[in-house]
Amino acid sequence: MCGRFALTATPDQTAALLGLAELEDFPARYNIAPTQPVLMTLAGPPRAPGSNLPNRQAMLVRWGLIPAWVKDTREFPLLFNARSEAAVEKASFKAAMRHRRALVPASGFYEWRQTAGKKGQPYWIRPKHGGLVAFAGLVETCAEPGGSEMDTGAILTVQANANIAHIHDRMPVVISREDFDRWLDCRTQEPRDVADLLKPARPDFFEAIPVSDLVNKVANTGPEIQERGVVGPEPEKVRRQKPGADDSQMTLF
């Protein structure tokens, strides 16, 4: 799953990856957590003939998707992840899978390996050759009490590849640059047409760096949380997920 990630690239670097004309200035973010604002990119409105403007638009959404049909958001679980294998069928995600697929720029993400101790060993997982990646995301607009609207989103996950599975059994879906247009095209590409993109990154794509438990606290937001830490003891046994368990619920570890 993906419960924390980072975006430390500059606005210009991020705009270049996403094919945007420009982005407003923003600081490096080393510890992005659910309920915080997250940058996502969707397909823009149809362009006029001859226009050279980008066909994508960026927006800030609350990380934690709330379907449009939810009446009381206070009693709805925090859906910051969506299992890609079932998203098209689940009531919470199927509308967004059909109409509002998005890209989530990231420098990498964090995951925790459960150890013999009480706390898991955190890892900073980043592209092995550096640079940015784009996770597959979903966006939904919900109505808040009082009539206002709020844009919300989730990150799609998939079974972890061989390089990450010893840390956690899930990982975010990475969309390759050459597939951006197809993933974002919700006008002509139905969910079944982009299902082949919902796969683990190749095993040599990411590198996992053990870090200290500073990342556990959302209040810690500096680059020091990505410094290499001490690896804890090997787990006594592999955690097994209960049948029917859903990693889209409010769980970080």
Side-chain angles (χ1 to χ4, degrees):
M1 55 180 269
C2 179
R4 300 279 180 85
F5 72 99
L7 177 58
T8 59
T10 67
D12 287 345
Q13 291 169 331
T14 306
L17 170 75
L18 299 174
L20 300 168
E22 61 180 356
L23 286 170
E24 294 185 7
D25 193 29
F26 58 80
R29 300 177 66 191
Y30 291 89
N31 197 6
I32 303 172
T35 74
Q36 293 180 353
V38 171
L39 178 66
M40 292 195 181
T41 296
L42 296 85
R47 293 178 295 180
S51 173
N52 60 357
L53 294 175
N55 62 346
R56 298 171 188 164
Q57 59 183 5
M59 63 190 306
L60 283 177
V61 309
R62 171 190 179 270
W63 189 14
L65 187 143
I66 302 175
W69 45 262
V70 172
K71 301 300 182 182
D72 188 352
T73 60
R74 296 168 299 180
E75 297 184 2
F76 194 76
L78 186 62
L79 304 180
F80 56 86
N81 285 168
R83 294 178 71 92
S84 60
E85 300 90 338
V88 71
E89 301 171 355
K90 289 185 71 70
S92 296
F93 305 120
K94 63 181 182 180
M97 275 292 293
R98 179 64 186 88
H99 301 291
R100 289 171 291 278
R101 298 191 297 268
L103 297 171
V104 186
S107 301
F109 66 102
Y110 301 95
E111 198 51 84
W112 284 257
R113 175 174 61 82
Q114 295 303 309
T115 65
K118 293 182 179 180
K119 295 182 178 180
Q121 168 65 52
Y123 284 82
W124 164 234
I125 302 172
R126 67 184 182 185
K128 186 174 293 185
H129 300 295
L132 285 166
V133 295
F135 298 148
L138 301 174
V139 172
E140 187 68 275
T141 302
C142 72
E144 295 185 287
S148 61
E149 292 186 337
M150 175 172 61
D151 295 316
T152 67
I155 293 174
L156 285 157
T157 67
V158 71
Q159 184 176 354
N161 63 27
N163 195 41
I164 304 300
H166 73 287
I167 300 173
H168 198 277
D169 60 354
R170 305 291 297 180
M171 67 186 302
V173 174
V174 175
I175 302 296
S176 300
R177 187 189 293 258
E178 60 268 22
D179 294 318
F180 284 2
D181 282 338
R182 187 155 65 97
W183 173 251
L184 295 176
D185 181 6
C186 296
R187 289 190 288 270
T188 67
Q189 300 291 307
E190 296 185 11
R192 65 173 180 267
D193 299 321
V194 295
D196 62 298
L197 303 180
L198 303 176
K199 60 186 179 181
R202 64 181 188 273
D204 63 344
F205 186 83
F206 286 113
E207 62 178 347
I209 301 169
V211 294
S212 75
D213 61 2
L214 288 174
V215 68
N216 293 2
K217 296 183 179 180
V218 177
N220 294 331
T221 59
E224 66 277 1
I225 69 174
Q226 294 181 353
E227 295 178 1
R228 185 175 292 271
V230 178
V231 179
E234 288 296 320
E236 295 179 345
K237 60 181 180 179
V238 177
R239 184 186 64 171
R240 295 183 181 275
Q241 192 174 38
K242 295 180 180 180
D246 190 343
D247 73 350
S248 65
Q249 302 307 309
M250 188 174 180
T251 306
L252 291 182
F253 309 133

